[in-house]
Amino acid sequence: MKVTLQLKLLPTPDQYAALLKTMQVFNDACNFIAEVAYRE
């Protein structure tokens, strides 16, 4: 069974900045992994 939850975050400005940075670092890591996988 697949369950989906939709929610709305209401971060403070500091939390927003931290979430944005986390997403950017995660995206960079995924791009790196994709490059390695493609090369190998």
Side-chain angles (χ1 to χ4, degrees):
M1 177 181 7
K2 188 175 189 179
V3 179
T4 302
L5 176 67
Q6 184 175 3
L7 57 100
K8 182 176 182 178
L9 296 177
L10 299 172
T12 65
D14 288 341
Q15 291 170 329
Y16 176 83
L19 285 169
L20 186 60
K21 181 65 175 171
T22 299
M23 290 190 306
Q24 290 169 338
V25 170
F26 179 78
N27 191 47
D28 291 344
C30 289
N31 288 336
F32 174 77
I33 291 167
E35 288 175 15
V36 171
Y38 181 76
R39 230 183 7 249
E40 300 299 320

XYZ file of all heavy atoms in Angstrom:
320
model
N 0.839 -1.173 0.000
C 0.000 0.000 0.000
C 0.886 1.238 0.000
O 1.881 1.302 0.696
C -0.893 0.007 1.250
C -1.717 1.262 1.309
S -2.836 1.554 2.693
C -2.594 0.316 3.856
N 0.531 2.204 -0.801
C 1.276 3.448 -0.895
C 0.454 4.555 -0.244
O -0.716 4.740 -0.572
C 1.553 3.778 -2.355
C 2.483 4.932 -2.565
C 2.769 5.088 -4.054
C 3.850 6.094 -4.282
N 4.171 6.244 -5.698
N 1.077 5.267 0.682
C 0.400 6.351 1.377
C 1.141 7.642 1.097
O 2.364 7.687 1.160
C 0.365 6.092 2.908
C -0.315 7.235 3.626
C -0.336 4.784 3.212
N 0.415 8.683 0.753
C 1.014 9.984 0.474
C 0.502 10.994 1.489
O -0.689 11.025 1.798
C 0.636 10.454 -0.936
O 1.075 9.467 -1.868
C 1.281 11.779 -1.270
N 1.415 11.795 1.978
C 1.071 12.833 2.931
C 1.469 14.170 2.350
O 2.595 14.348 1.890
C 1.812 12.608 4.255
C 1.652 13.658 5.337
C 0.222 13.671 5.853
C 2.611 13.388 6.478
N 0.552 15.102 2.336
C 0.844 16.446 1.856
C 0.771 17.383 3.055
O -0.176 17.349 3.838
C -0.173 16.872 0.808
C 0.127 18.209 0.189
C -0.844 18.548 -0.931
O -1.779 17.808 -1.213
N -0.638 19.667 -1.570
N 1.810 18.195 3.208
C 1.829 19.125 4.320
C 2.463 20.431 3.897
O 3.110 20.517 2.868
C 2.569 18.542 5.523
C 4.017 18.096 5.278
C 4.961 19.151 5.772
C 4.257 16.772 5.939
N 2.250 21.444 4.685
C 2.800 22.758 4.386
C 3.766 23.138 5.503
O 3.395 23.126 6.676
C 1.678 23.798 4.291
C 2.176 25.188 3.936
C 1.007 26.144 3.765
C 1.513 27.519 3.371
N 0.403 28.447 3.145
N 4.994 23.455 5.118
C 5.987 23.894 6.085
C 5.881 25.400 6.266
O 5.669 26.138 5.305
C 7.397 23.544 5.613
C 7.724 22.066 5.466
C 9.143 21.910 4.929
C 7.572 21.338 6.775
N 6.039 25.848 7.479
C 6.043 27.278 7.785
C 7.325 27.594 8.550
O 7.302 27.889 9.743
C 4.802 27.648 8.614
C 3.461 27.385 7.950
C 2.320 27.591 8.925
C 3.291 28.274 6.734
N 8.465 27.535 7.850
C 9.743 27.728 8.535
C 10.005 29.198 8.873
O 9.506 30.103 8.200
C 10.758 27.223 7.521
C 10.107 27.485 6.203
C 8.640 27.258 6.433
N 10.811 29.376 9.889
C 11.306 30.713 10.189
C 12.330 31.067 9.110
O 12.775 30.189 8.359
C 11.991 30.743 11.563
O 13.150 29.912 11.513
C 11.055 30.283 12.676
N 12.746 32.316 9.007
C 13.768 32.658 8.004
C 15.053 31.835 8.161
O 15.646 31.412 7.157
C 14.015 34.142 8.255
C 12.707 34.650 8.765
C 12.184 33.524 9.633
N 15.484 31.571 9.384
C 16.683 30.749 9.595
C 16.449 29.308 9.151
O 17.317 28.688 8.530
C 17.106 30.766 11.066
C 17.703 32.093 11.488
O 18.130 32.873 10.610
O 17.748 32.353 12.711
N 15.286 28.763 9.462
C 14.966 27.401 9.047
C 14.852 27.317 7.529
O 15.285 26.341 6.920
C 13.659 26.937 9.700
C 13.753 26.728 11.180
C 12.402 26.507 11.823
O 11.386 27.033 11.366
N 12.382 25.740 12.892
N 14.284 28.346 6.915
C 14.174 28.389 5.456
C 15.557 28.332 4.815
O 15.787 27.566 3.885
C 13.430 29.659 5.013
C 13.358 29.806 3.517
C 12.373 29.150 2.786
C 14.291 30.578 2.827
C 12.315 29.271 1.404
C 14.230 30.705 1.450
C 13.244 30.051 0.746
O 13.191 30.154 -0.621
N 16.477 29.125 5.333
C 17.840 29.138 4.795
C 18.498 27.770 4.957
O 19.181 27.282 4.045
C 18.668 30.221 5.474
N 18.293 27.141 6.117
C 18.884 25.823 6.362
C 18.279 24.775 5.429
O 19.000 23.926 4.893
C 18.686 25.419 7.820
N 16.970 24.821 5.219
C 16.326 23.872 4.304
C 16.810 24.071 2.873
O 17.070 23.097 2.158
C 14.802 24.034 4.362
C 14.115 23.480 5.595
C 12.665 23.962 5.639
C 14.164 21.970 5.621
N 16.925 25.307 2.460
C 17.404 25.602 1.110
C 18.824 25.082 0.920
O 19.137 24.442 -0.092
C 17.345 27.102 0.847
C 17.690 27.547 -0.568
C 16.735 26.925 -1.583
C 17.645 29.070 -0.658
N 19.694 25.312 1.886
C 21.070 24.829 1.812
C 21.110 23.303 1.763
O 21.864 22.714 0.982
C 21.873 25.358 3.007
C 23.319 24.929 3.008
C 24.071 25.523 1.838
C 25.550 25.175 1.923
N 26.253 25.554 0.707
N 20.263 22.663 2.568
C 20.193 21.202 2.577
C 19.776 20.678 1.209
O 20.369 19.722 0.692
C 19.207 20.719 3.647
O 19.662 21.167 4.929
C 19.089 19.199 3.660
N 18.772 21.297 0.598
C 18.332 20.869 -0.728
C 19.427 21.066 -1.767
O 19.619 20.222 -2.648
C 17.062 21.611 -1.135
C 15.849 21.207 -0.339
S 14.269 21.843 -0.957
C 14.570 23.591 -1.059
N 20.172 22.155 -1.668
C 21.247 22.415 -2.624
C 22.365 21.381 -2.483
O 22.869 20.863 -3.481
C 21.799 23.821 -2.424
C 20.827 24.899 -2.846
C 21.255 26.297 -2.410
O 22.031 26.454 -1.474
N 20.725 27.306 -3.076
N 22.738 21.065 -1.250
C 23.792 20.076 -1.015
C 23.328 18.695 -1.483
O 24.090 17.952 -2.110
C 24.202 20.066 0.479
C 25.109 18.887 0.789
C 24.889 21.372 0.847
N 22.065 18.344 -1.197
C 21.525 17.064 -1.630
C 21.529 16.974 -3.157
O 21.910 15.948 -3.726
C 20.108 16.888 -1.082
C 19.460 15.597 -1.493
C 19.799 14.415 -0.867
C 18.520 15.573 -2.510
C 19.209 13.211 -1.241
C 17.928 14.383 -2.892
C 18.266 13.201 -2.256
N 21.126 18.043 -3.826
C 21.112 18.069 -5.289
C 22.520 17.906 -5.853
O 22.737 17.157 -6.810
C 20.476 19.368 -5.778
C 20.204 19.332 -7.263
O 19.664 18.362 -7.770
N 20.582 20.392 -7.952
N 23.480 18.588 -5.252
C 24.874 18.453 -5.695
C 25.362 17.016 -5.528
O 26.052 16.481 -6.389
C 25.785 19.405 -4.925
C 25.547 20.860 -5.280
O 24.917 21.131 -6.324
O 25.995 21.732 -4.500
N 25.003 16.392 -4.400
C 25.408 15.005 -4.155
C 24.781 14.072 -5.186
O 25.453 13.170 -5.709
C 25.015 14.580 -2.742
N 23.512 14.280 -5.493
C 22.841 13.450 -6.499
C 23.483 13.614 -7.874
O 23.656 12.634 -8.603
C 21.354 13.794 -6.557
S 20.429 13.244 -5.110
N 23.836 14.844 -8.225
C 24.502 15.077 -9.503
C 25.856 14.377 -9.556
O 26.229 13.789 -10.576
C 24.665 16.571 -9.758
C 23.351 17.244 -10.096
O 22.419 16.606 -10.558
N 23.278 18.533 -9.840
N 26.592 14.410 -8.462
C 27.887 13.732 -8.403
C 27.709 12.223 -8.576
O 28.422 11.580 -9.348
C 28.588 14.038 -7.078
C 29.858 13.268 -6.893
C 31.021 13.643 -7.560
C 29.900 12.155 -6.071
C 32.197 12.921 -7.404
C 31.070 11.431 -5.910
C 32.216 11.820 -6.581
N 26.738 11.662 -7.866
C 26.474 10.221 -7.958
C 26.088 9.852 -9.380
O 26.538 8.828 -9.913
C 25.378 9.813 -6.961
C 25.915 9.934 -5.527
C 24.867 8.403 -7.224
C 24.850 9.852 -4.465
N 25.262 10.678 -10.018
C 24.850 10.407 -11.393
C 26.044 10.427 -12.342
O 26.151 9.585 -13.240
C 23.790 11.415 -11.834
N 26.939 11.372 -12.142
C 28.135 11.439 -12.986
C 28.998 10.195 -12.822
O 29.478 9.626 -13.812
C 28.959 12.673 -12.625
C 28.336 13.977 -13.065
C 29.122 15.182 -12.579
O 30.287 15.028 -12.156
O 28.562 16.299 -12.605
N 29.196 9.750 -11.597
C 29.996 8.556 -11.338
C 29.308 7.323 -11.955
O 29.955 6.519 -12.617
C 30.225 8.353 -9.826
C 30.865 6.994 -9.542
C 31.090 9.472 -9.267
N 28.014 7.207 -11.748
C 27.264 6.054 -12.284
C 27.356 6.042 -13.807
O 27.533 4.976 -14.414
C 25.813 6.111 -11.821
N 27.238 7.189 -14.440
C 27.299 7.257 -15.897
C 28.698 6.853 -16.392
O 28.830 6.126 -17.364
C 26.960 8.674 -16.366
C 26.974 8.801 -17.868
C 25.924 8.307 -18.633
C 28.026 9.432 -18.526
C 25.939 8.427 -20.014
C 28.051 9.543 -19.907
C 26.998 9.031 -20.647
O 27.011 9.146 -22.005
N 29.714 7.344 -15.685
C 31.095 7.025 -16.066
C 31.385 5.539 -15.916
O 32.094 4.953 -16.730
C 32.054 7.823 -15.173
C 33.090 8.566 -15.897
C 34.104 9.311 -15.055
N 34.062 9.109 -13.635
C 33.692 10.031 -12.734
N 33.288 11.212 -13.130
N 33.720 9.790 -11.447
N 30.907 4.935 -14.863
C 31.193 3.522 -14.580
C 30.301 2.611 -15.382
O 30.502 1.479 -15.554
C 31.032 3.243 -13.081
C 31.946 4.067 -12.205
C 33.431 3.827 -12.471
O 33.850 2.668 -12.688
O 34.182 4.812 -12.470
